[in-house]
Amino acid sequence: MVHAADSALSLRVSSDRGPGFRIIFHGERRRCTRGDCRAVTDSGYLCAADARWQPETPGDVIGDHEHQPSFPYDTPQPGTWSTSP
């Protein structure tokens, strides 16, 4: 059987005959690429107007400018896949 797992792109696979496994998608966070700006936003936003930019870690400085995302809002989210038992 195939079930939804941790996120929309992750799966849990199981069977009656043995242990199952997970296929997990680790999506990249969208980052601002302007200068020393350390702003990030969740990758789930569909357009720039909806994005809520915030410091990557507490104390990081983010620029007071229009943030330039590290990948476009209208393309698939980059990321990596992993598996686990």
Side-chain angles (χ1 to χ4, degrees):
M1 298 182 74
V2 177
H3 309 274
D6 302 326
S7 70
L9 295 177
S10 298
L11 302 172
R12 182 171 46 93
V13 180
S14 62
S15 73
D16 294 338
R17 293 187 184 176
F21 61 93
R22 292 177 187 256
I23 303 169
I24 304 163
F25 179 72
H26 307 278
E28 289 182 21
R29 290 188 84 179
R30 192 172 273 118
R31 302 174 185 286
C32 180
T33 60
R34 289 186 65 178
D36 293 338
C37 185
R38 301 279 297 165
V40 294
T41 188
D42 291 330
S43 299
Y45 296 113
L46 299 177
C47 69
D50 293 337
R52 303 289 183 262
W53 293 90
Q54 59 192 16
E56 183 172 15
T57 58
D60 280 347
V61 176
I62 63 172
D64 185 18
H65 55 258
E66 184 175 332
H67 298 287
Q68 297 297 313
S70 54
F71 59 93
Y73 291 94
D74 59 351
T75 62
Q77 178 183 9
T80 59
W81 296 89
S82 67
T83 60
S84 69

